[in-house]
Amino acid sequence: MFRLLAWMRGRRERVRLLWRERQARRLLQRKPRLAEDLAPEALMLVERFRGLSVNRANQLRMQHDRIMRPQELQGFLLAWLLSGDRSPALSAWLCETCTDAPSLLEAPARYATEVAVGDLGVAQLRWYRRAASDCEPMRRLVVAFASNANAVAMITPCFLQLLAPLAADVVLVLRDRPHQQTFYGHDGDSSLLARLLKALPSLVPLSDYREVVTIGYSGGGFAAAVAALALGADRGVSLGGAPPMGRGIDRAWMEALRSVLPPPRAAATHLLFCCAEGCAADVTATARAAATVVGWELPIGSWQTRAYGGCRHHNMLVELQRRRYALLPVVADLLFPDDRSRYPKPLLARQARWRPLTAAPGSGAFS
């Protein structure tokens, strides 16, 4: 029985890959202009993948899909489709892109050609700036903390494609060996998180932005909440994040972190701790994360927990997307809920359902 189910799942995945690839090739046939003036870098990258085994191709892919911009990924995928080569690894990459960012192949979000990079030896701050526009009424910055897989719910170009309609620049926080490098040390002022937050203002002019929000997924979720408080960001969003086990991440640790940083931007930070309602581990982690932060008894504008209904997996954003929810209004509601006029009303009508996790502040026991 288990073998039959495994075969059926494998068969379904192969059909999905073939269907997405066929759709992409038909798109290229209908709109050949998309492949005009492909960047030389895209053609060179296709050559690097040519002839590689699936394992080697996947290893090379992981070096790129965590940092590429949408237009770079579009050029590469179109160049590969034009080449006529067959590659299971690249077919899977194309399928993931078309699933999580359906508009990327046809209309990739434009970010500035030059991406400023802050390299701290074991971590990077990568600044993705939107292409200049004369009609933008405000400037926004999203500081995104990647997970232990160096992703923010999805690969970077798809994440940037998702955020582009929100008119936000993005600083992506990546670690070189995330499974071995924690954001937290025993001393808040000497932790990797402290080094990252001290370097951030020297790379990105935070004062130029009207709104600054942080978001993190999984291994970067709790770090995003801590960073929001330390920076005085407008909002901090943790997606399935948990505080580290066995470390004294207490009020003294947090105050030591804040002592080495510039004065916070704002005194009232709004924190959101989110999880999938059907994932018991996430519910427990979210409860611990909220209880830890509230237990510090630091000035917080407000805080809220959210368990999104119908979601059973750790990566709730991708699950919502693949259950055909409109993901843009969900993310807009998380990051910029006060500016609903910018988002199409039909999208806002399909908000994902969520319920709060309730507990006495600081008790650590949520129901």
Side-chain angles (χ1 to χ4, degrees):
M1 184 63 176
F2 289 111
R3 289 183 180 179
L4 177 60
L5 290 175
W7 180 86
M8 291 176 63
R9 284 194 294 267
R11 177 68 177 176
R12 183 175 60 185
E13 182 63 19
R14 288 192 293 273
V15 170
R16 194 169 74 93
L17 294 177
L18 290 173
W19 174 247
R20 286 296 191 185
E21 185 175 335
R22 181 173 297 179
Q23 284 183 313
R25 294 187 185 279
R26 286 178 176 173
L27 172 66
L28 196 53
Q29 291 173 356
R30 293 197 315 269
K31 300 184 177 181
R33 60 176 179 77
L34 292 175
E36 294 175 358
D37 302 323
L38 289 176
E41 293 80 5
L43 301 173
M44 292 172 60
L45 190 55
V46 170
E47 289 298 321
R48 291 189 63 190
F49 276 90
R50 182 163 285 151
L52 294 180
S53 67
V54 174
N55 285 341
R56 292 296 301 273
N58 283 332
Q59 291 173 5
L60 183 58
R61 170 191 168 174
M62 290 179 66
Q63 298 176 17
H64 294 279
D65 67 6
R66 300 300 187 248
I67 60 175
M68 295 178 82
R69 294 171 292 136
Q71 61 266 42
E72 290 175 324
L73 181 56
Q74 181 216 35
F76 165 66
L77 291 176
L78 291 178
W80 170 64
L81 291 169
L82 280 176
S83 72
D85 293 344
R86 297 292 175 178
S87 167
L90 299 189
S91 182
W93 197 353
L94 172 70
C95 182
E96 184 175 347
T97 299
C98 292
T99 301
D100 294 338
S103 63
L104 188 147
L105 270 189
E106 190 167 356
R110 297 291 171 180
Y111 285 83
T113 302
E114 296 182 3
V115 178
V117 178
D119 193 340
L120 301 177
V122 297
Q124 288 186 356
L125 295 169
R126 302 187 68 90
W127 184 21
Y128 298 85
R129 292 167 290 179
R130 292 172 298 109
S133 173
D134 296 331
C135 61
E136 291 299 339
M138 64 181 67
R139 298 195 67 189
R140 293 164 159 167
L141 179 70
V142 174
V143 182
F145 289 80
S147 67
N148 290 344
N150 262 343
V152 187
M154 58 193 70
I155 63 175
T156 293
C158 292
F159 181 71
L160 294 173
Q161 185 79 6
L162 173 64
L163 291 190
L166 306 182
D169 293 353
V170 178
V171 170
L172 184 61
V173 183
L174 299 172
R175 291 167 287 170
D176 291 346
R177 297 183 301 278
H179 287 286
Q180 303 172 21
Q181 298 158 339
T182 176
F183 284 113
Y184 321 96
H186 292 289
D187 299 312
D189 55 353
S190 61
S191 63
L192 175 59
L193 189 58
R195 293 166 58 192
L196 288 166
L197 297 183
K198 282 193 290 185
L200 180 61
S202 63
L203 173 68
V204 181
L206 299 181
S207 58
D208 288 355
Y209 291 94
R210 179 175 173 179
E211 290 182 79
V212 175
V213 301
T214 66
I215 186 172
Y217 163 60
S218 190
F222 188 71
V226 173
L229 283 176
L231 293 173
D234 298 278
R235 294 171 72 83
V237 181
S238 170
L239 303 174
M245 300 292 290
R247 295 180 183 273
I249 310 299
D250 52 14
R251 178 169 180 167
W253 185 95
M254 184 63 185
E255 289 180 338
L257 171 63
R258 298 180 75 179
S259 69
V260 297
L261 300 176
R265 281 173 45 95
T269 297
H270 181 61
L271 297 178
L272 289 177
F273 300 91
C274 306
C275 64
E277 185 179 45
C279 181
D282 271 19
V283 171
T284 301
T286 298
R288 287 201 303 111
T292 298
V293 172
V294 175
W296 292 338
E297 297 182 349
L298 295 173
I300 300 176
S302 61
W303 65 278
Q304 185 181 65
T305 57
R306 294 183 178 185
Y308 280 80
C311 296
R312 297 174 295 173
H313 304 299
H314 180 52
N315 193 342
M316 69 171 203
L317 287 187
V318 169
E319 186 177 6
L320 288 172
Q321 175 93 314
R322 295 179 182 180
R323 289 174 55 229
R324 301 187 183 278
Y325 274 90
L327 197 54
L328 175 60
V330 175
V331 175
D333 184 53
L334 289 171
L335 299 179
F336 307 111
D338 298 328
D339 190 13
R340 296 180 180 273
S341 62
R342 299 172 60 85
Y343 319 127
K345 291 182 179 179
L347 291 180
L348 288 172
R350 293 199 67 188
Q351 291 286 359
R353 295 174 291 107
W354 57 266
R355 66 173 180 84
L357 302 175
T358 57
S363 68
F366 284 65
S367 60

